[in-house]
Structures are given as C-alpha cells and as structure tokens.
C-alpha cells in the first residue's frame, strides 16, 4: 500500500496551485455568505489533509479494490432513493447526518473514473470489442441511472461525459465513436422534440422541462419570470457579472447596487458563486478563477503524459475531464449559455462531498506523479517529454 518516495519528486507545483485556489475560493465564499466560511474552511482543511495522505498511498493498491469503491457508492445511491435520502429543492440526493449532508453522486464521479481505468487497462486487447464496451456501458449506466432518478440530470450528463472521454483517451476506435454519434444524435433530437411538445413528460420533471424549453426558445428577455427559480437565477447572475465590469465592486462590499447584497443571487455560495466572482472581482476575477482551474486541469494532463502505466494515465485523464467539464457546465449555466443545472464550481462552491471527492482525486493524481518521477530516470523522462 505504501512505498518509499523521494520528497524532491513530489509535485509541489500542483499542491501550490491547489493552496492558492483554495484560499481564493474561501475568500469568495466568505464574501458570498459569511455564515458558511467556517464550515467551508474546515472542509477544505480536512480535505487537504486527506489529499496529502492519499498522495502517499500507491494508486495501484487503490485500483486493486475498485469493486469495493464502486459497490459502496452504488449502495449509497440506492439508499438515497429508498429510505435514507434527504430531499431539498424537489430532489432527493443527500444523506443527512446531523448538520452534515453527503451527496453520493459526487463520490460516483471518482468511483467511475477508477472503475473505467482499471477495466480498460486490464482489457486493452478487447477495447474495441462490442462485448467489452457493452459490459462497460452496463456497469457505468446502472449507477448513473440511479443518479438520474433522484432527479439530477446535470450530474447524469457529466458522468456520461467522463466515461465517454475516458474511453476516447483510452483509444477506442473512431469508427465506434462515429457509429455511437450517428445513433445518439437522432435519440437526443427525438428527446428534445418530446420535451418541447409534451406538456408533462414522463422522463423528466416539469421544472426541468421548463428550463430546457426556455433555453431552446431563447427566453432571455429583460422581463424575468419570477415564478421560475431557474430563470431568475440565471437572469440576475448575468446582470451581476455584467455589473462587475473590469475589476468589480470588491469583496465584502456594502454597495447598494450589488445584486448579491440585495439577495437576488440565489445559492450565491453554491452553484452560482461565479456570479459573485463576476460582480465583486469583475472580468479580472473571472479570468483568474478560470486560469486557476485551467492550471489544475493542465497539471493533470501533464501527469497523465508522464504516468508510468496505462492505469495512471487514464485516472489523470478522467480527473482532468471531471474538473474541466464541470467547470465548463457551471460557468455555462451562470452565464446563461447552458440550461440551468445544479453543478458546483470545482473547489469554489460550498459542499463537503464535492471537496472530499475533488481533493481525494487530486491525491491520487499526486501519487501517479510521484511514482512516475521515482521509477523512471531523467534520461527516460527527457525522451518521453520530447517524443
């Protein structure tokens, strides 16, 4: 489980980026809603410590028990839908233990990354086999469907994107992807036609249908529909970002024109925290946020390229896709270029489960990086980097 590592081989660059991102994120959370500062700060510290511990645990040992991680998370998802689930905002997605809420769908992101990495690495010669791809589809779709039933459409889409992207990185044939696209396009088109034409669809909730229809029809008029939470959340978020201009109004400001101060940005410390960044730190703050998250994704990709084996490479690709796509979806929703969905901004939005999952994933990436540097000499590293 544990190996002897050289401290000089540790990826201190990634750790430094994560520290800077966490401090910046906590400052934004404090400005968005100071009532969550202590809780979020404590969550960050605990998650960071867990990341350091995990970074010294051999990722091959973690992969050895991928069935356990997959099974535990799946059982938790079943528990949420049966007797242990806690509901909020029309969805049942959480376990509630006293003041702490855990969202198993967050853990599933990492569990699926480990599952796909292990199975694909162990069956590289069967990667383009229909039987193997069907097996992967069945194993991944079962817990994903449990997430969809909560309902949680945004996380369902994100989980599917993670699995598809990992298969692409693993080297699945372009022919297979082409066939899949030819099948998926008419299915998605039929689904959208169904959603638009049927007033009370069976497959999704009414509020989900309304958000999709509003987005398709371009319902972004200045007259905000106050009867729909999703519509006014996005409308006010866009106004807040625009009002920040270049440098913003400042963190913890008392500006009477602030939409956040007036309470118009719902879930300011959660899914819409980027609107707070845009209003209080302006275009500059938004760029800094995106740049920090880009650096984290870039480091994951660099570690993937230098990984000592196929499993490590796939894990890092999966984590990069996880953070990259989730960032794109969150900012896309806040800026109203995507329909309203409940996806947190990585490392910034409040949420203990999200922090635990993200920092645990980063701990595994750090271990992949650590082993790569330990087990290959500098000449081999130079050859890999050039080639």
């Amino acid at each position: 489980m544990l190996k002897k590592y050289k401290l000089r081989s540790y990826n201190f660059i990634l750790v430094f980026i994560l520290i800077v991102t966490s401090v910046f994120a906590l400052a934004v959370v404090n400005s968005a809603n100071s009532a969550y500062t202590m809780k979020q700060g404590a969550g960050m510290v605990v998650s960071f410590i867990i990341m350091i511990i995990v970074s010294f645990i051999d990722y091959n040992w973690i992969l050895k028990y991928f069935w356990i991680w997959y099974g535990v998370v799946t059982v938790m998802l079943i528990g949420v839908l049966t007797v242990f689930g806690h509901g909020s905002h029309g969805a049942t997605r959480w376990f509630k233990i006293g003041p702490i809420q855990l969202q198993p769908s967050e853990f599933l992101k990492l569990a699926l990354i480990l599952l796909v990495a292990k199975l694909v690495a162990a069956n590289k010669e069967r990667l383009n086999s229909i039987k193997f791809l069907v097996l992967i589809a069945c194993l991944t779709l079962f817990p994903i469907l449990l997430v969809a039933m909560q309902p949680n459409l945004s996380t369902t889409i994100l989980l599917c994107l993670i699995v598809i992207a990992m298969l692409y990185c693993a080297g699945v044939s372009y022919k297979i992807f082409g066939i899949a696209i030819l099948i998926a396009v008419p299915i998605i088109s039929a689904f959208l036609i169904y959603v638009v034409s049927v007033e009370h669809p069976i497959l999704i909730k009414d509020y989900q249908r309304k958000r999709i229809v509003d987005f398709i029809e371009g319902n972004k008029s200045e007259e905000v529909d106050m009867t729909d939470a999703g519509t006014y959340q996005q409308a006010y978020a866009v106004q807040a970002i625009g009002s920040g201009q270049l440098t913003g109004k400042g963190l913890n400001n008392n500006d009477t024109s602030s939409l956040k101060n007036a309470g118009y940005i719902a879930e300011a410390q959660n899914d819409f925290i980027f609107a707070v960044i845009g209003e209080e730190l302006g275009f500059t703050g938004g760029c800094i946020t995106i740049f920090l998250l880009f650096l984290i994704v870039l480091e994951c990709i660099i570690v993937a390229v230098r990984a000592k084996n196929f499993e490590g490479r796939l894990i890092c690709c999966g984590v990069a896709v996880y953070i990259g796509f989730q960032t794109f979806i969150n900012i896309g929703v806040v800026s109203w270029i995507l329909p309203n969905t409940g996806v947190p901004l990585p490392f910034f939005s409040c949420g203990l489960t999200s922090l635990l999952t993200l920092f645990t994933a980063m701990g595994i990436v750090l271990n992949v990086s650590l082993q790569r540097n330990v087990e290959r000499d500098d000449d081999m590293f130079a050859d890999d980097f050039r080639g």
Side-chain angles (χ1 to χ4, degrees):
M1 184 175 77
L2 295 174
K3 290 187 175 183
K4 291 183 179 180
Y5 302 109
K6 294 180 181 179
L7 189 60
R8 64 181 178 84
S9 299
Y10 205 76
N11 194 337
F12 290 105
I13 294 176
L14 179 55
V15 174
F16 176 74
I17 295 170
L18 289 169
I19 291 174
V20 172
T21 302
S22 298
V23 171
F24 181 44
L26 189 60
V28 175
V29 169
N30 181 66
S31 182
N33 191 334
S34 59
Y36 289 85
T37 305
M38 291 299 296
K39 183 178 178 181
Q40 184 74 353
M44 284 182 174
V45 171
V46 171
S47 299
F48 190 85
I49 293 172
I50 290 173
M51 179 191 76
I52 298 300
I53 294 171
V54 171
S55 70
F56 289 102
I57 299 175
D58 185 3
Y59 70 91
N60 293 293
W61 181 86
I62 295 175
L63 279 175
K64 184 178 178 181
Y65 299 99
F66 73 101
W67 279 113
I68 294 178
W69 320 132
Y70 171 82
V72 168
V73 174
T74 302
V75 169
M76 291 175 70
L77 288 170
I78 293 172
V80 165
L81 291 174
T82 52
V83 294
F84 301 111
H86 173 70
S88 178
H89 301 293
T92 305
R93 304 173 185 173
W94 301 269
F95 281 118
K96 190 169 184 180
I97 307 172
I100 299 175
Q101 287 190 164
L102 296 178
Q103 190 172 352
S105 59
E106 289 293 323
F107 294 138
L108 182 61
K109 296 168 185 176
L110 182 55
L112 287 186
I113 289 172
L114 297 176
L115 173 78
V116 174
K118 183 63 177 181
L119 290 180
V120 169
N123 298 273
K124 284 191 288 186
E125 70 284 351
R126 300 172 54 206
L127 185 58
N128 290 304
S129 164
I130 298 300
K131 288 184 179 179
F132 176 70
L133 292 175
V134 169
L135 173 64
I136 288 286
C138 291
L139 288 173
T140 56
L141 283 177
F142 177 66
I144 289 175
L145 287 175
L146 294 176
V147 173
M149 292 168 63
Q150 292 178 351
N152 193 343
L153 183 60
S154 55
T155 302
T156 300
I157 294 171
L158 178 60
L159 291 166
C160 290
L161 289 174
I162 291 172
V163 173
I164 292 170
M166 288 187 69
L167 291 175
Y168 176 82
C169 293
V172 171
S173 168
Y174 286 106
K175 181 180 178 181
I176 293 176
F177 270 106
I179 294 172
I181 291 172
L182 289 175
I183 295 173
V185 168
I187 291 176
I188 294 173
S189 300
F191 172 76
L192 292 176
I193 293 172
Y194 167 75
V195 167
V196 172
S197 59
V198 178
E199 188 171 348
H200 300 287
I202 299 174
L203 298 177
I204 60 175
K205 299 290 185 180
D206 287 343
Y207 75 88
Q208 293 175 318
R209 173 190 179 273
K210 180 169 179 24
R211 292 177 183 179
I212 294 173
V213 170
D214 285 348
F215 180 78
I216 292 174
E217 295 179 351
N219 184 19
K220 300 181 182 180
S221 63
E222 295 182 2
E223 194 66 34
V224 179
D225 180 8
M226 296 301 292
T227 64
D228 179 65
T231 301
Y232 76 71
Q233 278 180 333
Q234 289 181 287
Y236 286 132
V238 170
Q239 291 179 30
I241 293 172
S243 68
Q245 299 184 32
L246 181 61
T247 58
K249 301 171 183 177
L251 293 174
N252 303 296
N253 68 78
N254 296 316
D255 194 326
T256 55
S257 68
S258 169
L259 291 172
K260 185 215 74 179
N261 292 342
Y264 286 110
I265 301 178
E267 302 294 334
Q269 74 282 354
N270 292 327
D271 300 342
F272 281 79
I273 198 165
F274 191 76
V276 177
I277 295 171
E279 182 176 55
E280 300 195 336
L281 298 174
F283 178 75
T284 303
C287 287
I288 291 173
T289 301
I290 295 171
F291 182 66
L292 287 171
L293 292 170
F294 167 76
L295 287 179
I296 295 172
V297 172
L298 182 62
E299 275 296 318
C300 291
I301 295 171
I302 291 173
V303 174
V305 172
R306 301 174 180 176
K308 71 172 185 179
N309 60 20
F310 196 51
E311 291 94 328
R313 186 171 297 124
L314 282 180
I315 289 174
C316 294
C317 287
V319 174
V321 168
Y322 161 26
I323 297 173
F325 275 139
Q326 187 161 313
T327 298
F328 173 78
I329 292 173
N330 177 274
I331 296 177
V333 168
V334 176
S335 57
W336 213 348
I337 63 173
L338 292 174
N340 193 355
T341 57
V343 173
L345 183 63
F347 301 103
F348 282 83
S349 295
C350 281
L352 178 60
T353 317
S354 179
L355 285 175
L356 285 172
T357 306
L358 285 164
F359 278 99
T360 302
M362 298 315 299
I364 298 175
V365 171
L366 284 168
N367 186 260
V368 174
S369 176
L370 188 58
Q371 292 202 49
R372 166 61 182 83
N373 289 328
V374 167
E375 300 195 9
R376 286 188 172 183
D377 58 34
D378 292 338
D379 291 336
M380 292 179 69
F381 168 78
D383 290 340
D384 286 347
F385 187 75
R386 287 193 297 268

